């Protein structure tokens, strides 16, 4: 055994640096890596990293792909992938899996098929993570039939099903009947449900409004000693009550959640305000006060999320309270320093329409940009959120990689020399 400790390669050094680099965004700002400034900063730092440490390879690119694949940002992932190929780095199955995971999050079937063809052309053997990415891609789009076909191909390839396989298939279920059938079938194969399986089973009840079946599944999870009943299970059950539009069911579930020792999160408060939008009839009635109380709780506890503000503006818009809407918009711009999203601005326009403003006056309204920038969070003409259409934001990438909006985010084909 050698006493000389092996020094890390440049690839290993850069991979560790990228881990620390992405770690600075923090848990509370996980989505910031998808914004314009964070990505532009990353590209500049990444170019400097490559110039300082020549010879970076699969590990470094794997870390970068994994970070942006989590958000389903195929534009960014594609740019990193092209840069990797230009650097003569031969992709492995793990790198292909990260790309396919991005396709799963974004629902891009066409791009996923192109990657699978490349894998076959290069004789890259798929592993279980490859099949899971394809199953998730289909099932997240509601295509359970094709997702199940991929699962059968995985079984023929010799891979045994796991809880992860079952959990991904359950995301494609649109009723309790489908979900319970899959759970029974996988139980017979020795797969015991975990927390994610119960969460996705409850979520499948939301599409069909099956409240009783959701409650039944939740009780089964409570009685299952091997399953940890955590915050996510409660949120899944509250989402079913929200989908049913029943304020009483939602209220009872939230109270039971608090009695169990869990504090309502952003989603729960957003559900409460959203249901109150349906039930409030006039200003200062019971449901209006509940929505206002939930909104104020969010502000006092530091929960300042766009969905919360959007649903509160919907409550105000239903009564045409234009002055209160403008106060919220000012608070959003001046204090939270955030821009408007598509849904939020649509709620603002609906509020002006309910207040008696003419269609011409409503059409003159414009979404405001983020404080201190010239960029709006979304493009009003296209009606697409910013991180799904980074047009003006990624001029650096467009210049470096030739990516354009007209080419569908793909580089133009190389001409033969």
């Amino acid at each position: 055994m050698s006493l000389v400790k092996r020094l890390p390669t440049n690839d290993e050094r850069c991979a560790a640096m990228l881990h620390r680099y992405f770690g600075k965004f923090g848990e509370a700002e996980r989505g910031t890596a998808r914004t314009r400034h964070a990505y532009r900063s990353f590209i500049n730092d990444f170019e400097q990293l490559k110039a300082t440490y020549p010879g970076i390879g699969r590990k470094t690119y794997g870390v970068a792909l994994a970070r942006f694949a989590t958000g389903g940002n195929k534009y960014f992932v594609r740019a990193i992938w092209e840069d990797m190929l230009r650097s003569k780095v031969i992709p492995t199955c793990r790198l292909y899996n990260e790309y396919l995971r991005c396709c799963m999050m974004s629902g891009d079937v066409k791009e996923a098929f192109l990657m699978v063809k490349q894998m076959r052309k290069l004789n890259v053997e798929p592993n279980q993570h490859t099949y899971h990415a394809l199953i998730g891609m289909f099932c997240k789009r509601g295509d359970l039939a094709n997702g199940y076909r991929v699962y059968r191909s995985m079984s023929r390839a010799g891979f045994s099903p796991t809880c992860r396989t079952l959990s991904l298939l359950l995301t494609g279920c649109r009723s309790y009947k489908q979900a319970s059938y899959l759970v029974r079938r996988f139980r017979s194969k020795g797969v015991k449900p975990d927390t994610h399986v119960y969460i996705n089973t409850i979520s499948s009840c939301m599409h069909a409004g099956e409240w009783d079946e959701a409650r039944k599944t939740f009780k089964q999870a409570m009685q299952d000693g091997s399953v940890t009943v955590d915050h996510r299970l409660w949120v899944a059950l509250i989402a079913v009550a929200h989908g049913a539009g029943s304020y009483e069911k939602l209220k009872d579930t939230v109270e039971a959640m608090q009695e169990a020792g869990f504090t309502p999160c952003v989603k729960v408060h957003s559900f409460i305000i959203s249901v109150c939008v349906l039930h409030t009839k006039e200003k200062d009635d019971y449901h209006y006060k509940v929505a206002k109380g939930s909104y104020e709780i969010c502000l006092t506890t530091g929960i300042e999320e766009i969905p919360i503000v959007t649903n509160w503006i919907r409550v105000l818009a239903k009564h045409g309270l234009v002055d209160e809407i403008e106060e919220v918009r000012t608070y959003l711009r001046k204090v939270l320093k955030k821009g408007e999203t598509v849904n939020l601005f649509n709620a603002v326009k609906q509020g002006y329409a309910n207040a008696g403003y003419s269609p011409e006056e409503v059409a003159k309204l414009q979404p405001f940009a983020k404080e201190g920038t010239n960029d709006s969070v979304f493009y009003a003409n296209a009606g697409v959120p910013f991180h799904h259409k980074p047009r003006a934001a990624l001029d650096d990438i467009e210049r470096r990689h030739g990516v354009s909006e007209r080419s569908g985010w793909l580089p133009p084909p190389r001409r033969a020399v």
Side-chain angles (χ1 to χ4, degrees):
M1 180 177 178
S2 175
L3 298 177
V4 180
K5 186 177 180 180
R6 185 181 69 86
L7 295 176
T9 62
N10 282 351
D11 191 21
E12 293 171 341
R13 285 196 187 97
C14 292
M17 290 179 186
L18 276 187
H19 272 299
R20 292 193 295 270
Y21 178 87
F22 289 131
K24 74 179 181 182
F25 292 113
E27 193 69 22
E29 299 180 349
R30 180 179 294 177
T32 359
R34 299 197 298 264
T35 62
R36 167 196 175 186
H37 304 291
Y39 187 70
R40 174 173 288 174
S41 173
F42 163 73
I43 283 296
N44 293 334
D45 294 342
F46 192 63
E47 292 293 335
Q48 184 178 358
L49 193 70
K50 290 195 298 181
T52 308
Y53 297 94
I56 66 171
R58 297 167 181 169
K59 292 186 178 181
T60 304
Y61 281 105
V63 174
L65 288 172
R67 176 67 188 191
F68 291 104
T70 303
N73 298 292
K74 58 182 180 181
Y75 183 89
F76 303 156
V77 170
R78 178 74 180 184
I80 296 171
W81 186 269
E82 291 292 330
D83 185 77
M84 180 186 72
L85 295 181
R86 281 193 293 271
S87 300
K88 307 297 183 183
V89 176
I90 300 175
T92 60
C93 183
R94 177 177 175 269
L95 297 177
Y96 276 110
N97 289 344
E98 296 297 347
Y99 202 115
L100 290 174
R101 192 162 64 89
C102 175
C103 296
M104 176 184 73
M105 300 302 295
S106 62
D108 193 342
V109 178
K110 183 178 179 181
E111 192 76 7
F113 281 153
L114 291 175
M115 286 295 108
V116 171
K117 285 183 179 180
Q118 285 187 23
M119 291 179 70
R120 290 175 177 171
K121 186 177 180 180
L122 298 175
N123 294 322
V124 178
E125 288 293 328
N127 57 19
Q128 195 166 28
H129 297 292
T130 311
Y131 287 105
H132 281 170
L134 294 173
I135 292 172
M137 179 188 66
F138 284 116
C139 290
K140 284 181 183 295
R141 300 172 72 248
D143 191 354
L144 180 61
N146 278 322
Y148 197 79
R149 289 192 184 98
V150 176
Y151 158 66
R152 295 182 64 181
S153 300
M154 184 186 82
S155 300
R156 287 195 293 269
F159 297 104
S160 301
T162 63
C163 282
R164 174 68 175 166
T165 313
L166 175 56
S167 181
L168 290 171
L169 285 170
L170 288 173
T171 58
C173 295
R174 293 296 179 264
S175 68
Y176 176 75
K177 184 177 180 180
Q178 291 178 333
S180 59
Y181 170 77
L182 283 176
V183 172
R184 289 196 305 270
R185 188 173 182 84
F186 274 70
R187 275 185 184 273
S188 65
K189 296 179 180 293
V191 177
K192 193 174 182 180
D194 62 356
T195 305
H196 291 93
V197 169
Y198 281 111
I199 290 171
N200 289 334
T201 305
I202 293 172
S203 298
S204 67
C205 302
M206 179 179 62
H207 300 283
E210 298 168 322
W211 170 252
D212 295 332
E213 288 77 4
R215 287 284 299 172
K216 176 184 175 183
T217 306
F218 183 81
K219 290 179 180 178
Q220 289 176 355
M222 295 277 284
Q223 296 169 358
D224 193 338
S226 61
V227 174
T228 304
V229 179
D230 59 7
H231 190 271
R232 296 168 298 171
L233 268 171
W234 284 101
V235 172
L237 185 62
I238 291 172
V240 178
H242 167 260
S246 173
Y247 175 74
E248 294 300 326
K249 293 175 181 176
L250 183 66
K251 176 186 174 184
D252 294 341
T253 310
V254 172
E255 289 177 351
M257 175 185 178
Q258 291 174 321
E259 291 175 1
F262 295 98
T263 304
C265 63
V266 175
K267 274 190 176 181
V268 174
H269 285 292
S270 183
F271 289 150
I272 293 172
I273 302 174
S274 179
V275 169
C276 290
V277 174
L278 303 175
H279 292 277
T280 181
K281 302 297 181 185
E282 57 186 17
K283 184 183 177 182
D284 294 332
D285 66 0
Y286 173 74
H287 294 99
Y288 176 86
K289 291 179 180 178
V290 169
K292 185 176 182 180
S294 187
Y295 176 69
E296 290 175 350
I297 288 173
C298 293
L299 296 184
T300 56
T301 54
I303 301 175
E304 300 167 342
E305 296 291 335
I306 290 293
I308 297 289
V309 180
T310 302
N311 285 327
W312 174 236
I313 288 182
R314 283 174 179 156
V315 174
L316 299 174
K318 193 169 184 180
H319 305 294
L321 303 175
V322 174
D323 294 337
E324 287 83 348
I325 289 175
E326 287 303 321
E327 288 179 5
V328 176
R329 295 182 76 195
T330 303
Y331 177 79
L332 185 70
R333 182 175 68 253
K334 300 284 187 180
V335 180
L336 302 187
K337 299 189 182 301
K338 294 181 180 179
E340 291 182 311
T341 61
V342 178
N343 292 334
L344 191 150
F345 185 63
N346 288 339
V348 171
K349 292 193 293 184
Q350 186 63 44
Y352 273 83
N354 292 342
Y357 284 75
S358 65
E360 291 78 14
E361 292 173 317
V362 174
K364 291 179 182 179
L365 293 172
Q366 293 294 329
F368 58 77
K370 186 176 179 180
E371 186 75 7
T373 69
N374 295 322
D375 308 312
S376 177
V377 174
F378 78 105
Y379 298 95
N381 295 331
V384 180
F386 173 81
H387 62 272
H388 289 163
K389 192 179 179 67
R391 183 175 55 202
L394 294 173
D395 43 280
D396 285 351
I397 307 303
E398 292 177 5
R399 187 181 71 252
R400 294 169 193 259
H401 302 291
V403 184
S404 67
E405 188 179 69
R406 294 173 183 169
S407 63
W409 311 118
L410 298 180
R414 296 192 179 98
R415 296 181 180 179
V417 179

